[in-house]
Amino acid sequence: MAHINGYVVAAGEKKKASQPSWNWVLINATGETKALDVDKYAVMHRVQIHARDLRIIDPNLSYPSTILGRERAIVLNLEHIKAIITSDEVLLRDPSHENVIPIVKELERRLPVGNQAHHAAHNDADAGEEDESPFEFRALEVFLEAICSFLAARTTELETTAYPALDELTSKISSGNLDRVRKLKSATTRLTARVQKVRDELVHLLDDDDDMADLYLSRKLSCACSMASSPNFYLTSPTIGSKISRASVATVREDENDVEQLEMLLEAYFMQIDSTLNKLTTLREYVQDTDDYISIQMDNRRNELIQLEVVLGSGTVCSAFYSLVAGIFGMNIPYTWNDNHGYMFKWVCIVTGAICVFSLVFIMSYARFKGLMGS
């Protein structure tokens, strides 16, 4: 038995190798929902994409946020949103995920043609006007709105927790507050990276008209159908046929270059995700400012300890002189000048003490004069 290109070959037979099934929910243009439990080969056959395109939504692989346009499908990976969009249906992975369930409900509400709930939510002037956006754009809008709202909510939660914690740390430096701020700083860095990936993908699409044109699935499908159903009698006259052919190609190219509708859609959600990134950038700057403030405070404490060490060292040096004199006069050695001079004891103590105090004052004054000590 051998494995060849995803097939199991045994005893002259050729069968597909067993693949783990993925949980999907399928939502079509009429709003009908159907749960699917199929492997990736079935998905590839249904939406006509390659295996390499499914890597970005593979649960065993880690891929950044991506919106990939193919001939008949859009493969989308935005955080927990992993979906495939065609011109008439949406395949969404892990429909039982807590963050995906609201998206499924929103797709069921907004994907059917003629649904006015989406317009009412956006306060359109003409409530009776139907949404003329292609099916794939309505689905893409739901996903972009969901990921922008999700990241904005996570940012708001982080701001609500971070700012009070940072203010508390500046007022009281403790190991508990420091550990709390450390965790918040790590969370801010991770969330910023996630938001930045989504923003970069939107920027990539907005900067490339060809990539945006690849997302017009309905237009590509209609162009292919119209060219396939062209009347054969045009070909009877080479001149007429060539003129019509050139006109048709020019019309198709003109339509393909018109990406204004998608550009406006992407631009709107780019502004939202950019606003979220700005909030996180401001929070990171506040964290950095607090970190700098704490470092300055700790440096000031260290300087105060160093100054105290200088004072204690200077006092030790001066008292050592006093101990030296006391040691000299305390030696038990018979000298004649020790006799009849008892009255000198107090003067030795007074003079030695005065010299020690004067030496300490001189050392401290010199240190302040040189800027080694604070005022």
Side-chain angles (χ1 to χ4, degrees):
M1 181 177 293
H3 293 265
I4 301 176
N5 295 331
Y7 290 88
V8 179
V9 180
E13 295 183 356
K14 190 175 185 180
K15 299 181 180 179
K16 281 188 177 181
S18 59
Q19 293 290 334
S21 60
W22 294 350
N23 294 323
W24 300 84
V25 60
L26 185 146
I27 307 172
N28 58 24
T30 62
E32 297 179 359
T33 304
K34 180 181 179 182
L36 298 177
D37 189 12
V38 296
D39 59 17
K40 65 179 183 180
Y41 289 108
V43 175
M44 291 164 49
H45 177 73
R46 184 182 187 93
V47 299
Q48 298 297 313
I49 59 176
H50 298 289
R52 61 177 178 270
D53 298 329
L54 286 178
R55 293 175 188 168
I56 65 174
I57 58 176
D58 194 318
N60 299 321
L61 301 177
S62 177
Y63 270 81
S65 297
T66 306
I67 301 176
L68 189 64
R70 286 296 179 255
E71 184 64 29
R72 297 185 180 180
I74 299 173
V75 185
L76 183 139
N77 176 21
L78 297 174
E79 294 283 327
H80 55 276
I81 303 174
K82 302 180 187 300
I84 301 175
I85 306 172
T86 67
S87 59
D88 57 358
E89 63 183 19
V90 174
L91 285 168
L92 182 62
R93 268 202 55 222
D94 297 332
S96 59
H97 192 279
E98 58 179 352
N99 293 322
V100 178
I101 294 176
I103 301 175
V104 175
K105 295 180 179 179
E106 190 68 11
L107 288 170
E108 293 173 347
R109 184 177 70 88
R110 290 166 55 172
L111 285 185
V113 178
N115 195 329
Q116 303 301 320
H118 174 51
H119 292 279
H122 287 76
N123 298 322
D124 283 350
D126 186 4
E129 183 182 357
E130 294 186 357
D131 191 354
E132 297 180 356
S133 300
F135 174 85
E136 62 271 17
F137 288 178
R138 298 201 302 275
L140 182 61
E141 183 177 7
V142 172
F143 292 139
L144 290 175
E145 181 179 327
I147 193 61
C148 289
S149 301
F150 174 79
L151 293 175
R154 300 290 84 76
T155 301
T156 301
E157 292 176 1
L158 187 59
E159 285 179 326
T160 304
T161 307
Y163 283 115
L166 293 170
D167 294 337
E168 183 179 356
L169 179 61
T170 56
S171 60
K172 181 182 178 181
I173 301 176
S174 63
S175 58
N177 289 338
L178 286 171
D179 184 65
R180 184 182 177 189
V181 170
R182 179 188 61 81
K183 294 178 181 178
L184 289 172
K185 186 176 181 180
S186 300
T188 303
T189 302
R190 291 193 298 269
L191 184 57
T192 301
R194 292 162 60 187
V195 174
Q196 184 68 51
K197 289 177 181 177
V198 177
R199 181 185 181 275
D200 290 344
E201 182 60 24
L202 293 178
V203 170
H204 172 73
L205 287 174
L206 288 169
D207 289 343
D208 195 327
D209 290 349
D210 293 336
D211 287 343
M212 285 192 287
D214 288 338
L215 304 184
Y216 279 80
L217 303 180
S218 299
R219 187 168 67 187
K220 289 190 292 185
L221 182 62
S222 62
C223 290
C225 293
S226 61
M227 294 184 68
S229 60
S230 297
N232 294 327
F233 64 84
Y234 287 140
L235 301 178
T236 57
S237 173
T239 304
I240 297 176
S242 61
K243 289 182 179 179
I244 293 176
S245 177
R246 287 195 298 269
S248 300
V249 172
T251 303
V252 170
R253 288 180 178 175
E254 182 179 358
D255 290 341
E256 289 181 350
N257 292 330
D258 182 15
V259 294
E260 182 179 359
Q261 182 181 10
L262 178 58
E263 186 175 5
M264 292 178 62
L265 174 65
L266 295 177
E267 189 70 31
Y269 290 102
F270 169 76
M271 297 299 294
Q272 292 187 25
I273 203 71
D274 192 59
S275 175
T276 302
L277 184 61
N278 289 336
K279 291 181 181 179
L280 288 171
T281 302
T282 302
L283 179 58
R284 289 186 66 184
E285 291 175 352
Y286 194 82
V287 171
Q288 187 61 44
D289 293 341
T290 303
D291 192 16
D292 294 340
Y293 176 76
I294 298 302
S295 298
I296 292 173
Q297 279 194 333
M298 299 302 292
D299 291 340
N300 185 53
R301 296 288 179 85
R302 282 191 289 269
N303 291 336
E304 291 177 353
L305 290 175
I306 292 173
Q307 292 180 9
L308 178 61
E309 185 179 357
V310 170
V311 173
L312 293 177
S314 301
T316 302
V317 171
C318 295
S319 61
F321 176 75
Y322 196 94
S323 300
L324 174 64
V325 175
I328 292 174
F329 281 91
M331 289 187 296
N332 191 15
I333 300 176
Y335 286 103
T336 56
W337 51 272
N338 284 337
D339 300 334
N340 300 322
H341 292 87
Y343 63 92
M344 293 295 296
F345 176 77
K346 62 178 181 180
W347 291 108
V348 170
C349 292
I350 293 173
V351 172
T352 304
I355 292 174
C356 291
V357 171
F358 176 78
S359 300
L360 179 61
V361 172
F362 175 78
I363 293 173
M364 298 303 298
S365 299
Y366 179 80
R368 284 195 176 91
F369 176 74
K370 290 295 185 179
L372 302 177
M373 297 285 294
S375 57

